[in-house]
Amino acid sequence: MPVTIRGIGVVGAFGSGVDAFSDALHSTERRTKNVVVQSSGGQEEMPCYRAETAGLDEFIPRASLRRVDHYARMGLLAASLALKDSGGIEINRERLGIIIATGYGASATTSAFLDSFINDGDPLSSPTHFSNSVHNAAAAHISILLRVSGPCLTVSQFETSLTSALLTATTWLEERRVDLVLLGSVDEYCDILGYCWRRFFGEWNKHEVDPFRFDRQSAVPGEGSAFFLLSRPERDEGAYCRIISIETGNLRNQKLALSRKGLLIIGADGHRQCGESYAELLDEAVRALSFTPVYGSFPTNNAFDMAAAALILKKDGALLTACAVPEPVLSGSKQSFPREDIDVVQCLKVGWEKAFGLITLGRI
Amino acid sequence: MKERSSIAVTGMGCICAAGADAVECIASLFEGKRNLVPPSRFRSTHPKIYPVLEVPGEFLPEKLRKREDLHLTGKFAVAAAHEAIANAGLSIRQLEKKRVGVCVGTTVGSSMNNEDFYRGFRMGGDPDMAPITRYLRSNPASAIAREFSLTGPCQTVVNACSSGTDAIGIGLSWIRSGICDIVVAGGADELCHVTYNGFISLMVTDDGPCKPFDRRRKGLNLGEGAGMLVLESEDSCRERMERVRSILFGYGCSTDAYHLTAPHPKGEGLRRALREVLRSCDIDTGEIAFVNAHGTGTSDNDRVESHVLNELLPGVPFLSTKGITGHTLGAAGGIEAVFTVACLETGRVPASAGFSVRDPDLPVSPVEQTTTFKGHTALSQSLAFGGSNGALLFKRA
């Protein structure tokens, strides 16, 4: 059953909200900040796409956020923005589900909990850090602070987390378990992830992600949250687009059918390890582009790809100048994407060990 | 909620402190065996020892025990999946021809919280990256999919302590919606220093054997293990003519929207989850033979469950199996689903381990001895951090 995207909320290095995101998609400015990364040779400053949640007090009283960490704040802000963006759609919060996809969960708070007992001994382990370190802490804070009492789920499947979560969201809507689903992604950057990144990949790109240089490690870490308010297709008025199909599996034993008519947004984010899979899938007939230079590399960044796809399908606006396209000309230049004939946009994310998720969105 | 076809349970696998496989675990459950030990895989500086229910190393098959690529949660998940798939009579060749999904609940299995690695990082050294590589390869759903070359959807549910129950409920949805013919679903989790310290810091851990629903209850005992079911569509079962162990009839879930770690004092979310599953299955409360409760042994959880069960299912026998397994967190829903199916098959439920003194503040108490029942349906329910509540309804085949 197709589902409809009714509202979008996004939080990333580009800012927060659909307008900021749309501006970023039309801009060549990259908003990275330097983070200090530890290595055996000492410390080094490296670029990273960090998200800010300053706008959250528009939705949640500051006092209620006292014990809410950055991971959950990103989710809270994106979820609140998605509800606001839906334009006052009538919501029975007992019939609203929450599904969150995350690659690594609340990594910074997990580290803080470890610090609490490594520094001060087991008896002084922090209960606040412990309860906020569980992967579903963001979903819990959203349900409590936005008073959502329908089913609540968090899934963690690295790069296929979003696709897997979306699959369950569609079954919930199809079964009429809920009327609406707040489906979102949350992933954060933290010191330990930066350290692991450094150890695994060695080099750290100091420029921007180069998604179509599949043979090069050009990833720049990022973080952020993207939420979508999803409904059954009978509630299409004012909506962005429909999600037509969701495929997930492994490229080792499955062949993918990529659309030759629409656009393909690839989630290639500068990881050489995954690059070859994209290279094998793309040919001249596929019109491919990527926006990862706008939000950086992290397991659930394909939620931003999905938001970009929804904007392309809803708005016949100006050319998306931020998109990266293949070179020399795998599928043409940016000018070869006449929006008026785009009825379908696919979002492809390939992860570690060739796990993939393919989401197909269509115009209403 | 719209309900459709019933889904068969054709295979089960289980590993926990109570036994190396489902048969052993179920035997221990009826014998009331409680294998509590001090934690052996980590040292604690707590002044008291809080006993746990660890899986002895020899419970894992030797081949699996020696594998360097998986952490313990991954090994538990794979062990239970092997047993469940064999129990379902499914060969690798048969699996190749079907659309097979994997949905597994966990908590520790998805957390990048390896303490030795983190200590090395903090000291500014170059700790061995093997624990991180192992973590990346041990996502429980992916580990099972890789082990059996399964190509269907793969989902690791991280909904804290209701993860296993929710994973089975999602598996049910995937089959009903036609996404899969078969789903390997359940939960897996390992004990570690992080969760040990975490639950002690919340002051919800008993320094003796846990006593669910008992007046003297002081908290939970942590456990570990995995419980897996093979869920199968009617068409797939018909085609294979395989024995059906039970019918998974429905799943209800709801959220308290109340507190990060405490259940809603009136059990609002649990009540909605139970009502939803009963309504969606069109089952009268009188048809429920027993309830496998969450029953952690914590003051709040047991009080809430007792009140909700008294209100919605008065007179229905219930028990907690956590006195035998410990609280296995993300695995609990999987292990308890295995126990629920086994009890439906035998027509008996064991005494609720650890219970002996009625709490005057609780309106109902669990079964105190092995009890025979006549009904055909049973519930298994889970409550979790974050306020998630899940309930599965099984029917005798």
Side-chain angles (χ1 to χ4, degrees):
Chain A
M1 183 191 75
V3 298
T4 301
I5 298 180
R6 303 298 311 265
I8 296 175
V10 277
V11 178
F14 50 82
S16 59
V18 169
D19 291 342
F21 182 58
S22 184
D23 288 347
L25 295 180
H26 290 92
S27 164
T28 50
E29 185 194 352
R30 303 290 177 254
R31 294 191 191 167
T32 55
K33 285 181 181 169
N34 278 356
V35 291
V36 176
V37 182
Q38 180 186 310
S39 71
S40 53
Q43 295 186 329
E44 196 175 354
E45 287 205 346
M46 304 302 284
C48 177
Y49 292 81
R50 302 302 303 264
E52 287 185 11
T53 56
L56 190 51
D57 31 2
E58 179 193 337
F59 304 99
I60 313 283
R62 202 169 282 186
S64 305
L65 297 169
R66 205 163 46 90
R67 291 184 176 180
V68 179
D69 63 16
H70 179 61
Y71 170 76
R73 282 178 189 226
M74 286 192 291
L76 261 170
L77 179 53
S80 303
L81 288 166
L83 290 173
K84 184 183 176 186
D85 186 54
S86 67
I89 179 175
E90 193 182 323
I91 295 172
N92 173 354
R93 292 186 188 227
E94 281 192 14
R95 301 276 305 158
L96 171 61
I98 298 170
I99 304 184
I100 289 185
T102 182
Y104 302 121
S107 317
T109 302
T110 300
S111 297
F113 180 64
L114 286 159
D115 287 335
S116 74
F117 66 82
I118 292 173
N119 290 338
D120 303 318
D122 289 2
L124 291 175
S125 303
S126 161
T128 304
H129 287 327
F130 179 62
S131 50
N132 279 285
S133 71
V134 291
H135 277 36
N136 67 331
H141 284 300
I142 291 169
S143 79
I144 293 164
L145 293 168
L146 302 184
R147 302 181 312 283
V148 176
S149 56
C152 196
L153 178 75
T154 303
V155 307
S156 181
Q157 207 65 44
F158 302 127
E159 287 82 2
T160 54
S161 300
L162 178 79
T163 324
S164 162
L166 187 54
L167 203 62
T168 297
T170 60
T171 61
W172 280 7
L173 288 164
E174 188 182 356
E175 292 174 315
R176 296 187 179 273
R177 189 177 293 280
V178 292
D179 295 330
L180 296 161
V181 177
L182 256 177
L183 169 93
S185 67
V186 192
D187 262 309
E188 70 176 341
Y189 173 84
C190 68
D191 291 347
I192 190 79
L193 283 175
Y195 175 76
C196 290
W197 185 287
R198 188 68 194 238
R199 290 287 304 275
F200 277 131
F201 308 125
E203 60 201 302
W204 186 316
N205 179 19
K206 291 191 175 175
H207 306 287
E208 74 176 42
V209 180
D210 196 353
F212 285 96
R213 286 289 304 275
F214 298 124
D215 57 345
R216 188 180 153 224
Q217 181 67 25
S218 70
V220 176
E223 64 176 12
S225 176
F227 266 78
F228 304 87
L229 185 66
L230 305 177
S231 74
R232 284 183 285 277
E234 67 257 32
R235 305 175 72 171
D236 265 354
E237 67 285 354
Y240 281 90
C241 59
R242 283 183 180 173
I243 297 168
I244 300 166
S245 71
I246 304 151
E247 291 174 62
T248 177
N250 197 293
L251 293 172
R252 282 190 184 134
N253 34 27
Q254 278 166 280
K255 284 194 173 174
L256 267 186
L258 297 175
S259 168
R260 264 49 183 164
K261 289 180 180 171
L263 287 182
L264 176 72
I265 300 178
I266 62 166
D269 54 6
H271 283 299
R272 189 167 37 210
Q273 197 177 30
C274 307
E276 68 175 35
S277 300
Y278 291 107
E280 285 165 11
L281 285 165
L282 298 186
D283 60 46
E284 288 175 11
V286 177
R287 295 190 294 180
L289 64 160
S290 176
F291 296 106
T292 50
V294 176
Y295 26 84
S297 314
F298 51 102
T300 54
N301 62 2
N302 56 332
F304 292 95
D305 295 344
M306 197 163 104
L311 287 172
I312 291 170
L313 288 166
K314 185 176 182 183
K315 295 182 178 178
D316 289 332
L319 199 67
L320 297 163
T321 49
C323 69
V325 291
E327 286 182 12
V329 185
L330 254 181
S331 22
S333 67
K334 291 177 191 181
Q335 283 69 27
S336 71
F337 302 133
R339 289 164 309 284
E340 55 275 14
D341 74 359
I342 298 166
D343 288 326
V344 169
V345 181
Q346 293 187 302
C347 300
L348 173 67
K349 182 79 177 169
V350 182
W352 205 52
E353 297 190 317
K354 292 184 181 284
F356 76 89
L358 179 68
I359 301 163
T360 304
L361 301 95
R363 200 183 286 277
I364 290 170
Chain B
M1 198 187 83
K2 193 173 117 188
E3 283 294 343
R4 290 187 292 175
S5 54
S6 301
I7 303 303
V9 177
T10 53
M12 305 200 300
C14 191
I15 180 169
C16 66
D21 58 31
V23 171
E24 268 186 35
C25 291
I26 292 156
S28 295
L29 182 68
F30 278 93
E31 287 164 20
K33 265 192 196 167
R34 310 182 75 181
N35 302 322
L36 281 156
V37 291
S40 70
R41 294 196 298 269
F42 53 85
R43 280 185 183 190
S44 171
T45 55
H46 279 287
K48 269 187 204 171
I49 292 171
Y50 294 85
V52 295
L53 287 130
E54 275 184 355
V55 174
E58 64 272 21
F59 277 14
L60 278 169
E62 195 182 348
K63 261 189 182 175
L64 204 48
R65 202 159 58 224
K66 287 181 177 167
R67 277 176 62 170
E68 295 282 323
D69 62 325
L70 294 177
H71 59 35
L72 204 46
T73 304
K75 291 179 183 182
F76 290 149
V78 169
H82 266 291
E83 187 192 355
I85 287 170
N87 183 243
L90 282 161
S91 64
I92 296 289
R93 214 170 165 164
Q94 283 172 310
L95 289 170
E96 279 170 4
K97 291 178 186 166
K98 306 268 185 186
R99 294 168 303 159
V100 185
V102 186
C103 196
V104 180
T106 192
T107 62
V108 177
S110 269
S111 291
M112 207 174 88
N113 63 5
N114 186 279
E115 192 181 332
D116 291 339
F117 176 81
Y118 189 71
R119 283 179 185 269
F121 160 73
R122 273 170 46 109
M123 288 170 70
D126 276 335
D128 182 5
M129 294 302 284
I132 304 301
T133 307
R134 202 175 294 126
Y135 152 76
L136 293 170
R137 282 189 65 84
S138 297
N139 176 284
S142 296
I144 292 172
R146 194 186 315 118
E147 181 80 5
F148 296 96
S149 303
L150 306 176
T151 56
C154 205
Q155 186 166 113
T156 293
V157 172
V158 283
N159 243 17
C161 306
S162 66
S163 299
T165 293
D166 294 322
I168 294 169
I170 289 163
L172 171 78
S173 295
W174 285 357
I175 297 177
R176 278 186 173 156
S177 64
I179 296 168
C180 298
D181 305 309
I182 293 172
V183 178
V184 179
D189 240 325
E190 71 187 79
L191 259 167
C192 71
H193 196 196
V194 172
T195 46
Y196 183 80
N197 279 341
F199 281 94
I200 294 169
S201 76
L202 290 167
M203 297 188 286
V204 291
T205 308
D206 199 327
D207 56 2
C210 68
K211 300 170 256 313
F213 299 104
D214 190 283
R215 193 185 67 193
R216 304 157 301 157
R217 68 187 182 280
K218 287 160 66 181
L220 53 82
N221 301 139
L222 282 173
E224 62 182 358
M228 296 290 160
L229 303 182
V230 172
L231 308 177
E232 202 161 346
S233 70
E234 283 176 315
D235 287 349
S236 180
C237 282
R238 206 175 299 124
E239 189 188 300
R240 295 202 307 125
M241 295 173 54
E242 189 54 48
R243 169 188 67 147
V244 173
R245 297 195 65 162
S246 179
I247 302 294
L248 176 56
F249 217 42
Y251 161 61
C253 52
S254 192
T255 311
D256 288 343
Y258 170 71
H259 191 271
L260 201 53
T261 56
H264 189 283
K266 291 184 177 170
E268 288 294 344
L270 177 61
R271 186 180 289 113
R272 278 199 306 278
L274 285 171
R275 281 193 175 133
E276 180 188 310
V277 72
L278 294 169
R279 188 175 53 237
S280 67
C281 299
D282 200 18
I283 290 280
D284 186 76
T285 54
E287 294 176 62
I288 304 295
F290 70 93
V291 178
N292 192 346
H294 192 55
T296 54
T298 61
S299 174
D300 286 350
N301 175 89
D302 294 2
R303 186 181 64 253
V304 166
E305 273 196 290
S306 171
H307 279 277
V308 172
L309 289 173
N310 181 51
E311 183 192 325
L312 294 188
L313 299 163
V316 174
F318 70 96
L319 76 157
S320 166
T321 57
K322 287 190 173 66
I324 303 296
T325 63
H327 190 351
T328 58
L329 308 180
I335 292 171
E336 287 156 25
V338 169
F339 288 168
T340 304
V341 170
C343 290
L344 275 172
E345 286 178 329
T346 60
R348 297 180 304 146
V349 287
S352 189
F355 174 79
S356 59
V357 181
R358 194 179 168 274
D359 184 341
D361 290 337
L362 304 189
V364 284
S365 297
V367 290
E368 291 181 68
Q369 56 195 18
T370 297
T371 305
T372 305
F373 59 82
K374 285 186 178 165
H376 298 281
T377 56
L379 283 161
S380 183
Q381 66 190 31
S382 299
L383 288 75
F385 272 17
S388 283
N389 303 271
L392 297 166
L393 195 143
F394 292 94
K395 199 169 180 181
R396 190 184 285 175

